[in-house]
Amino acid sequence: MKKSLVISNFMLKMWKKEILKILDTKTKLFIAIIVAISILSISIFAGYQITSVSLKSFLNGDTRSIVLLTVSMYLNASILTIVFFIVFKAVTSDQDRLSIQLSWFPINSYEKNLGYFILFSSVILSLVFIIISIIMVPAFITQGVGVAFSLAFLLGLFLQITFVLFLMQLIYNSLNYLVKVCKIPFTKLLTLFLVILLCLTYGLETLSIKGMLKTFTVFDYNITYFLSPVFLGMIGELKYMKVNVLLTLGGYIGTVILSYFSLFLINVRSENRSLKLLHFIPIPRNKLGALTIKEIKSQCRNEENLLNFLLIVMLVLLFNFKFTLNNDLLILIILAGMTGIVALNSFGNDKKMNIAYKLYGIMPSKIVISKFMGLCILAIVQLIFFCLLLLYVPEINNSLQIILITVNSVAVFYLAGIIVPLDKNNPYTGILAFIFLLSCLVPILFIGNYVIGQIGEIMRICIIVASDLLLGIVIILINRWRYNIE
């Protein structure tokens, strides 16, 4: 256990080093604090509007309202936990430099896996706990429910999040082990797909508004709000509910034990695959063309990018099969926003080339322009593939907006990848980059959705073009800064 904590602490220090590189001046620190306070204030206000009505009903004697509020909040916490678990697994590499280096030390695979899981789970736990607390705690304070009530809710929330985390880890490790035993290629891709399929099927088969309403009298032990009776029992609101609290606590303890044992199943070995995609495309003689083609080839051959693309394709097919999706334009817009993920690890994968770029006297602006061109070409190729997959071709005016959204997506993901570079020297930096994206994009999307809904089509296109140009300038400036400090 001690060695595992040392590994987690070491990775945390690596993260701290990356953050200090970003916030290396008082001005940057001040801006980061202002942005954080603004996001927090908006979230608190929105959270209060959502939960205050239910709490008022409970305080006025409607006990059913607190049961439904608890079940719904624990359900949201579970969904967020599952989403973060899957996304973080998708954006992080199973085989990083630290993992290879640790294999030379007297550390067994269980201690290493536990060390990685401690940090991985702590980040997800913190994120979900903070998000739900921001939604609930302001209403607790303003409605005067008391300290004991608030602490009981937060304790139940902590247990629910950790329960889902341990359960997801158990499922992922077990499926990963089975796929490896069957010697099926693309182990991570298939494992993630099976996890998503399992979670989606369980949610569709067990979750319903009618079922949640019935929990007031008969608890159904649904995994997504499995620990809610613990909180309701602490505040004395189980008198109308038929439930065995000891069974929920026993299920929690059993899941924790099995999850820890599942860490013995993990034995990370990189699959020997040498991808030579697009080998037939020649490298141009001029520098700009050569850098652009190099970017296209290297990002195509990157295993993480290939797996993410295949995973998105499989999810589109799965959702289309499960839900019979009809709004092809909306789906294509969402997919256009996801194509930019190919740019997230571009800077990190290319860090080793910085010395060569400096040696040949290639300007940072020329590097970023050529890389951005290559990434946009890859994103648009993906977009064309999605159109073929959906058997849908948008109208010309919609096509222009979708292409602009694609370029915007590439710019946002590439910018995040420059600020927090993803490379195999820093394990789990993908999580750090995703947290940065989440913090910035959520308020921007809310504001953008409101503004775009109030304006005409021409003005909408102008705003998207202006945001692309602004992002381009920011990328060039930040790329120059990162290029100089590396």
Side-chain angles (χ1 to χ4, degrees), residues 3 76 95 105 118 123 153 166 195 242 270 303-305 311 315 318 373 401 417 440 443 450 461 465-466 472 476:
K3 292 178 181 178
N76 290 333
Q95 188 77 354
F105 289 89
I118 289 171
V123 172
F153 178 86
F166 286 121
V195 169
K242 186 179 179 181
S270 58
E303 189 173 314
E304 297 298 322
N305 290 335
L311 186 61
L315 287 177
L318 175 63
M373 286 170 58
Q401 290 186 49
C440 296
Y450 175 78
I461 293 173
V465 171
I476 290 172

Side-chain angles (χ1 to χ4, degrees), residues 181-230:
V181 167
C182 295
K183 295 182 179 180
I184 302 172
F186 298 108
T187 306
K188 182 178 177 181
L189 170 68
L190 186 56
T191 303
L192 282 174
F193 179 74
L194 290 173
V195 169
I196 294 170
L197 180 62
L198 189 64
C199 292
L200 187 63
T201 304
Y202 180 81
L204 291 173
E205 295 296 328
T206 63
L207 289 175
S208 66
I209 296 174
K210 187 177 179 181
M212 291 172 67
L213 290 171
K214 285 183 178 179
T215 56
F216 181 72
T217 52
V218 179
F219 190 67
D220 59 357
Y221 300 97
N222 192 289
I223 287 170
T224 55
Y225 43 85
F226 190 73
L227 273 300
S228 56
V230 175

Side-chain angles (χ1 to χ4, degrees), residues 141-418:
I141 295 170
T142 55
Q143 298 301 322
V145 295
V147 176
F149 182 96
S150 302
L151 290 177
F153 178 86
L154 294 176
L155 174 60
L157 178 64
F158 174 85
L159 291 174
Q160 179 63 39
I161 297 169
T162 51
F163 169 72
V164 175
L165 260 176
F166 286 121
L167 183 62
M168 289 298 292
Q169 182 71 1
L170 172 62
I171 293 169
Y172 181 87
N173 291 346
S174 302
L175 289 174
N176 189 266
Y177 177 75
L178 289 173
V179 172
K180 284 184 176 179
V181 167
C182 295
K183 295 182 179 180
I184 302 172
F186 298 108
T187 306
K188 182 178 177 181
L189 170 68
L190 186 56
T191 303
L192 282 174
F193 179 74
L194 290 173
V195 169
I196 294 170
L197 180 62
L198 189 64
C199 292
L200 187 63
T201 304
Y202 180 81
L204 291 173
E205 295 296 328
T206 63
L207 289 175
S208 66
I209 296 174
K210 187 177 179 181
M212 291 172 67
L213 290 171
K214 285 183 178 179
T215 56
F216 181 72
T217 52
V218 179
F219 190 67
D220 59 357
Y221 300 97
N222 192 289
I223 287 170
T224 55
Y225 43 85
F226 190 73
L227 273 300
S228 56
V230 175
F231 161 65
L232 295 170
M234 285 190 283
I235 63 171
E237 292 297 329
L238 286 181
K239 49 192 172 185
Y240 302 109
M241 184 186 290
K242 186 179 179 181
V243 61
N244 188 339
V245 179
L246 292 177
L247 180 62
T248 60
L249 291 174
Y252 177 84
I253 294 168
T255 302
V256 172
I257 293 170
L258 289 173
S259 179
Y260 273 111
F261 276 114
S262 74
L263 293 171
F264 287 101
L265 299 175
I266 305 174
N267 184 17
V268 178
R269 289 181 182 176
S270 58
E271 299 175 62
N272 294 320
R273 288 191 299 270
S274 181
L275 300 175
K276 297 294 182 184
L277 297 175
L278 307 180
H279 62 89
F280 54 87
I281 299 177
I283 300 294
R285 302 289 294 178
N286 64 84
K287 289 181 181 178
L288 188 65
L291 290 172
T292 302
I293 296 300
K294 173 197 165 294
E295 182 68 14
I296 293 172
K297 287 187 174 185
S298 61
Q299 289 303 99
C300 267
R301 294 171 183 177
N302 181 270
E303 189 173 314
E304 297 298 322
N305 290 335
L306 183 60
L307 294 184
N308 287 335
F309 172 70
L310 292 174
L311 186 61
I312 291 171
V313 171
M314 292 168 75
L315 287 177
V316 170
L317 294 172
L318 175 63
F319 274 84
N320 199 28
F321 173 75
K322 282 282 185 181
F323 300 107
T324 314
L325 304 174
N326 295 319
N327 195 339
D328 291 329
L329 178 59
L330 179 61
I331 298 165
L332 199 58
I333 288 172
I334 294 170
L335 291 172
M338 296 175 69
T339 54
I341 199 171
V342 72
L344 188 60
N345 58 8
S346 174
F347 184 87
N349 289 340
D350 213 38
K351 278 172 70 176
K352 59 184 180 293
M353 293 294 295
N354 281 345
I355 297 174
Y357 294 149
K358 291 176 182 178
L359 182 65
Y360 283 99
I362 304 174
M363 298 296 293
S365 57
K366 183 173 284 189
I367 297 169
V368 74
I369 289 169
S370 59
K371 287 172 75 68
F372 189 73
M373 286 170 58
L375 292 168
C376 285
I377 292 169
L378 278 177
I380 290 170
V381 169
Q382 289 183 63
L383 193 63
I384 293 169
F385 182 85
F386 291 139
C387 288
L388 295 173
L389 190 66
L390 296 170
L391 299 175
Y392 173 73
V393 178
E395 296 176 0
I396 295 174
N397 57 336
N398 290 329
S399 298
L400 179 59
Q401 290 186 49
I402 290 170
I403 290 170
L404 289 173
I405 290 169
T406 303
V407 174
N408 205 300
S409 172
V410 171
V412 169
F413 278 100
Y414 185 62
L415 180 60
I418 298 175

